Amino acid sequence: MGFFVRWTQIMSTMFEVIPEKCTSCMQCELACSWVQTGTFRPSRSLIRVHVFDEEASYAPYACTQCDEAWCMTACPVNAITIDARTGAKIVVERLCIGCHLCTIACPFGTIFTTPETGTAAKCNLCGGAPACVVTCPTAALVSIEQPSRGGWFEPWSDLVQRRFADAHSN
Amino acid sequence: MAGWTGKLLRVNLTTGKCASEPIPDAWLREYVGGRGLAARYLFEELDPTVDPLSPENKLIFATGPLTGTSVPSSARYMVVTKGALTNAITTSNSGGAWGPELRFAGYDLVLIEGRAPKPSYLFVYDDHAEVRDATRYWGCGVFETEDGLRRETGLPNLRIAGIGPAGENLVRFACIMNDKHRAAGRSGVGAVMGSKNLKAIAVRGTQGIPIADPESFLRAVWQLRRQMNENPSCHAFGELGTAATIDMTQAWGGLPTRNFQQGQFEHYANLNGNSIRDTRMYRNKACFGCTIACGRVTYLGDAWNKFLVNTHPRNWRVAGEGPEYENAWALGADTGVGDLDAVLKANWLCNDLGMDPISMGSTLAAAMELYEKGVLADDQVELPLRFGSGDALVRMVEATAYREGFGHELAEGAKRMGEKFGHPEVFMGVKGQEFPAYDPRGFQGMGVAYATCNRGACHLRAWTPGAETSGVFPPHTTEGKAPWVINEQNRSTAHDNTGICLFVAFAGGPIESLVPCTAAATGVPFTIEDFVKIGERTWNLERLWNLNAGLSRADDNLPKRLLEEPHTSGPSKGVVVRLEPMLNDYYASRGWSSDEGRPSPEKLAELGLANL
Ligand code: SF4
């Protein structure tokens, strides 16, 4: 299992947003909602395109997978962890108790609760090939790989990795 | 049920009752959705002889089974009713994001009946639908209403389709606007909505559209995406927008100028795709799900204070959208105005006030002809209606929406206005509806396409210039055009029924590519033959309805100017439209009687319409 590599050596997947190229076509929302629900349901998309029409500004926006993941630090039951393959912060639904603390902690408003289950939902980079990036017709969303800047997290990285492995072991 | 939601929202404005009801399964299979399904409801429920502006008229908003899915350009919905301009069945199509939102709320169709006792709007949030008071929005422009409704409900993602002051004032060519700049534009559907005291339909949907066979669906969608991506027109639409067509029609002498008195416009280069892109365009904007993104977001920059208007206090210091080809032509070449800024402002005004720019421009052009010929005197009009006057253009757009001064006459459309002043020959259109931007003297095929379209003059049911300029047949002959037009009408109708934008067909995605998408989405194994039949069935049903409304062969005619006055210059010099042979051919090929154009009993039986 490749999970126990040192945190600093992990390549993390990011997607870069180039808002000037966006046409506000919402294909990304369709693709994301398809991955989340198996239906076309933008209200459940984890990427949101914000349209400011008078300013002619369209801003596709999803979780930035920030290094100092506030959602992860806020979670009282350690239900948010890191996907070792991509560096994405992911919600382990089995552990989530639906307390909404993560959604309050997130300064960007990119973690949501699913009404039916009450659990948290956030972008998990689709395990490395984000569907929104694949579908975006204008390349306003592009996937890039870069070495993770685990920085302040490094002392705990082994713990985080182990937690991820635990979460996926059964 | 997959693909379709299978539900219709029936709203009686007189009583305020909203109820959801199932759509008959057989109808879904026979018409797929959208225009056809709505026409079926209209045929069943509406007396074709009613006054379009009476409470008895019904107004249907219809989406297709692909609306709101990931099929490219899945934004479309169709407004079907008896048109205020045409007195015929009308089918006005619009993009934006309203149609998909309606589907996310769980409905395929909304059917409006009756008349609200006071200004109202319909609020739909998933299963919840209610008629609410809209007194405070009455008189407001489209943009203000949208922003106001979002603020009032606290729902930033609310999608709104509604009317502006033009619809309230029953301007005969008022449209229904959604998402600020998208229009179900033609035939006066906005006036019908206004006559019902319905200001807007505000929708928020949070549900999902299930797909019957996800794997085949995604395969079909990606196949279509690849095809479109490899098609040069798809990219050209994004690059230059629809206004690029001006170069083509100009070159072939088919760009109607100054109320169809000429076939070429000397200032065309100010209005074409390149000019818009290079001078006023800010960026592209797509409708929901659209990978083409032909929408132009435009900005007047420091020219904002040219052609000031009273009704819009900020005078467009913010971004707007357009113009499209048709608008650039109607507000530009047809009125002889070669100033892009005037056209832009007039276009935005039309959007905010909720009017169809094609009919607006054409009606104004007809009035300009009357003025220049001395029929209209200076004391009858507020300012000189000279061809080429940007001031007259912008001011008359405003005056028409509010029916101020001479605007009151323009608001009736060119046909009624021409008749009132004793010159019916200045009306350039069919069935009361003004022509779009292709001169049939330049493209003969458009002659028969215009004459036979069920909703009056229309370029979207069979668009011949592409075939006529690319060598399928020459532009100035008549042979073989009627059957080609029929085939195209059937195909485009089926295309409309799916809820996908017609531009997909011009950008590498012919109807053949939509068949597998629809089949996979709905789980019904449609074939291309089924689709063409569905198109033909819809077309014949609309025809039957029109016949019942009192229309006949006499209404499938073109104005005298096109039949008798040849152009004196340009590539289509000396040509008139030879409609008669094409029309005979058309009726025969359709299986219609030659006297009134009634579908024969055999034809009706073949299409499964025998008992209607
Ligand atoms: S798919 Fe791309 S272009 Fe379309 S809205 Fe999303 S980011 Fe913008």
Side-chain angles (χ1 to χ4, degrees):
Chain A
M1 294 290 279
F3 291 139
F4 292 91
V5 288
R6 292 285 300 169
W7 173 237
T8 38
Q9 293 161 355
I10 293 180
M11 293 297 281
S12 62
T13 311
M14 317 271 266
F15 63 83
E16 193 182 349
V17 176
I18 309 162
E20 303 82 61
K21 289 191 179 174
C22 176
T23 61
S24 78
C25 75
M26 311 287 169
Q27 278 283 350
C28 49
E29 291 198 6
L30 283 170
C32 183
S33 69
W34 178 263
V35 173
Q36 309 308 322
T37 67
T39 62
F40 293 111
R41 190 175 189 183
S43 67
R44 205 48 67 71
S45 170
L46 301 174
I47 181 167
R48 301 276 163 103
V49 185
H50 300 273
V51 176
F52 304 93
D53 43 25
E54 295 204 336
E55 295 77 17
S57 159
Y58 317 131
Y61 204 68
C63 173
T64 58
Q65 314 294 351
C66 55
D67 286 338
E68 302 186 29
W70 297 97
C71 57
M72 189 158 79
T73 31
C75 179
V77 295
N78 296 332
I80 298 178
T81 180
I82 298 177
D83 183 336
R85 293 164 298 174
T86 59
K89 318 296 181 294
I90 58 169
V91 176
V92 183
E93 224 178 278
R94 183 166 57 81
L95 302 179
C96 175
I97 53 170
C99 70
H100 292 211
L101 272 179
C102 53
T103 64
I104 298 165
C106 175
F108 305 106
T110 49
I111 182 161
F112 310 90
T113 31
T114 310
E116 287 90 8
T117 57
T119 53
K122 73 179 287 302
C123 169
N124 62 3
L125 294 173
C126 295
C132 54
V133 172
V134 175
T135 200
C136 178
T138 63
L141 305 171
V142 279
S143 204
I144 49 174
E145 294 262 314
Q146 62 169 41
S148 167
R149 292 164 289 123
W152 67 280
F153 227 92
E154 194 164 334
W156 299 289
S157 63
D158 281 354
L159 175 73
V160 170
Q161 298 305 309
R162 210 163 294 128
R163 201 193 283 163
F164 176 79
D166 283 353
H168 283 265
S169 61
N170 45 20
Chain B
M1 185 169 272
W4 295 295
T5 67
K7 281 195 290 178
L8 165 125
L9 177 65
R10 185 181 292 272
V11 179
N12 187 320
L13 290 173
T14 313
T15 61
K17 184 167 171 275
C18 307
S20 158
E21 57 183 69
I23 300 170
D25 212 44
W27 287 9
L28 289 173
R29 285 159 190 264
E30 280 165 26
Y31 296 95
V32 175
R35 192 174 144 198
L37 198 54
R40 187 69 189 81
Y41 269 98
L42 219 57
F43 198 91
E44 194 70 20
E45 302 189 5
L46 180 61
D47 171 9
T49 57
V50 297
D51 173 2
L53 297 179
S54 69
E56 285 74 45
N57 196 1
K58 300 198 181 192
L59 183 65
I60 304 179
F61 295 75
T63 63
L66 300 183
T67 304
T69 66
S70 70
V71 179
S73 317
S74 63
R76 294 271 151 180
Y77 73 95
M78 192 65 95
V79 181
V80 181
T81 183
K82 182 167 184 178
L85 189 65
T86 55
N87 280 323
I89 191 167
T90 191
T91 45
S92 273
N93 193 290
S94 179
W98 188 88
E101 199 71 20
L102 182 68
R103 299 252 297 151
F104 300 138
Y107 300 104
D108 283 336
L109 266 65
V110 179
L111 191 154
I112 311 278
E113 44 192 31
R115 171 183 288 161
K118 57 172 196 262
S120 308
Y121 76 93
L122 173 64
F123 177 73
V124 181
Y125 192 125
D126 292 344
D127 298 335
H128 174 84
E130 75 181 76
V131 180
R132 292 182 174 176
D133 178 39
T135 316
R136 79 178 89 162
Y137 304 112
W138 206 251
C140 293
V142 167
F143 306 164
E144 210 184 324
T145 309
E146 273 210 19
D147 292 339
L149 284 171
R150 292 217 175 94
R151 224 174 295 125
E152 177 187 321
T153 56
L155 295 169
N157 289 325
L158 197 69
R159 302 290 184 182
I160 294 131
I163 56 170
E168 297 168 13
N169 297 329
L170 307 184
V171 173
R172 290 263 172 197
F173 45 84
C175 41
I176 295 175
M177 304 294 304
N178 61 283
D179 303 283
K180 296 195 174 169
H181 290 277
R182 297 285 132 198
R186 304 226 66 197
S187 322
V189 290
V192 174
M193 194 158 166
S195 76
K196 299 195 169 305
N197 271 333
L198 184 62
K199 180 72 180 173
I201 304 183
V203 184
R204 170 72 180 141
T206 65
Q207 299 169 36
I209 302 170
I211 297 298
D213 179 354
E215 210 178 297
S216 324
F217 183 80
L218 290 191
R219 212 178 311 117
V221 169
W222 278 102
Q223 169 66 30
L224 175 55
R225 286 276 301 263
R226 263 193 302 278
Q227 262 164 252
M228 290 174 65
N229 206 20
E230 284 158 13
N231 190 296
S233 319
C234 180
H235 300 285
F237 271 135
E239 179 68 21
L240 294 172
T242 50
T245 318
I246 287 192
D247 297 326
M248 188 266 270
T249 43
Q250 168 79 8
W252 290 83
L255 181 69
T257 301
R258 297 187 181 81
N259 203 29
F260 286 71
Q261 298 186 85
Q262 293 105 32
Q264 286 183 315
F265 184 46
E266 61 281 15
H267 301 303
Y268 80 99
N270 294 348
L271 306 173
N272 65 7
N274 294 69
S275 163
I276 296 171
R277 181 193 59 190
D278 298 341
T279 61
R280 293 291 175 234
M281 180 170 158
Y282 186 65
R283 70 186 301 166
N284 286 74
K285 180 163 197 223
C287 294
F288 189 93
C290 184
T291 57
I292 304 174
C294 66
R296 271 63 292 264
V297 174
T298 38
Y299 192 61
L300 272 176
D302 45 17
W304 67 272
N305 58 359
K306 281 163 77 180
F307 310 107
L308 294 178
V309 282
N310 304 328
T311 45
H312 207 284
R314 280 189 294 171
N315 267 299
W316 304 108
R317 293 164 100 152
V318 294
E321 281 177 45
E324 301 300 326
Y325 167 62
E326 294 294 336
N327 317 1
W329 160 77
L331 303 169
D334 204 27
T335 56
V337 176
D339 183 339
L340 181 61
D341 294 334
V343 172
L344 263 180
K345 213 159 223 185
N347 185 45
W348 292 346
L349 263 180
C350 280
N351 287 355
D352 191 26
L353 301 172
M355 271 189 305
D356 171 16
I358 303 182
S359 290
M360 179 67 234
S362 284
T363 307
L364 182 59
M368 284 173 163
E369 187 180 337
L370 289 179
Y371 178 83
E372 296 217 333
K373 292 195 167 149
V375 178
L376 291 173
D378 274 315
D379 59 350
Q380 280 172 295
V381 291
E382 169 186 340
L383 71 179
L385 297 184
R386 279 192 203 296
F387 279 117
S389 162
D391 290 304
L393 171 69
V394 175
R395 173 62 197 137
M396 287 333 280
V397 168
E398 205 184 1
T400 305
Y402 292 97
R403 284 183 175 268
E404 292 166 355
F406 190 71
H408 185 64
E409 311 298 339
L410 293 176
E412 289 296 305
K415 179 159 187 272
R416 292 171 174 86
M417 182 201 66
E419 280 163 3
K420 173 158 180 187
F421 292 100
H423 288 270
E425 77 282 359
V426 294
F427 163 61
M428 289 294 128
V430 177
K431 300 184 177 71
Q433 175 157 295
E434 294 77 6
F435 285 125
Y438 303 90
D439 192 321
R441 284 166 292 188
F443 310 103
Q444 293 281 330
M446 281 320 283
V448 68
Y450 283 153
T452 57
C453 180
N454 287 325
R455 67 156 175 170
C458 167
H459 57 294
L460 293 167
R461 304 298 180 242
W463 188 75
T464 64
E468 291 178 314
T469 54
S470 65
V472 177
F473 33 49
H476 293 151
T477 60
T478 55
E479 289 75 40
K481 298 216 168 153
W484 194 91
V485 163
I486 292 172
N487 184 32
E488 202 53 30
Q489 286 174 337
N490 294 345
R491 289 165 58 93
S492 70
T493 304
H495 195 119
D496 279 346
N497 289 359
T498 62
I500 299 299
C501 180
L502 205 52
F503 277 16
V504 169
F506 300 133
I511 179 110
E512 280 79 3
S513 332
L514 298 182
V515 176
C517 299
T518 316
T522 60
V524 180
F526 290 114
T527 63
I528 176 68
E529 291 76 27
D530 293 340
F531 260 50
V532 176
K533 190 112 286 184
I534 285 163
E536 192 180 1
R537 184 179 298 129
T538 307
W539 195 270
N540 278 274
L541 187 74
E542 291 174 352
R543 176 74 186 181
L544 275 182
W545 199 88
N546 274 352
L547 289 169
N548 294 347
L551 275 70
S552 67
R553 179 164 179 150
D555 297 286
D556 295 348
N557 206 353
L558 296 176
K560 248 189 29 220
R561 175 163 296 162
L562 303 185
L563 301 174
E564 290 170 16
E565 293 172 25
H567 284 313
T568 51
S569 62
S572 53
K573 182 174 170 196
V575 186
V576 292
V577 187
R578 294 185 304 283
L579 179 64
E580 218 40 39
M582 287 192 286
L583 203 56
N584 290 336
D585 193 6
Y586 181 92
Y587 280 25
S589 311
R590 271 262 180 229
W592 293 357
S593 68
S594 58
D595 52 341
E596 55 167 356
R598 182 172 289 279
S600 66
E602 300 80 58
K603 189 64 180 176
L604 291 180
E606 177 197 327
L607 296 171
L609 299 173
N611 47 359
L612 297 182

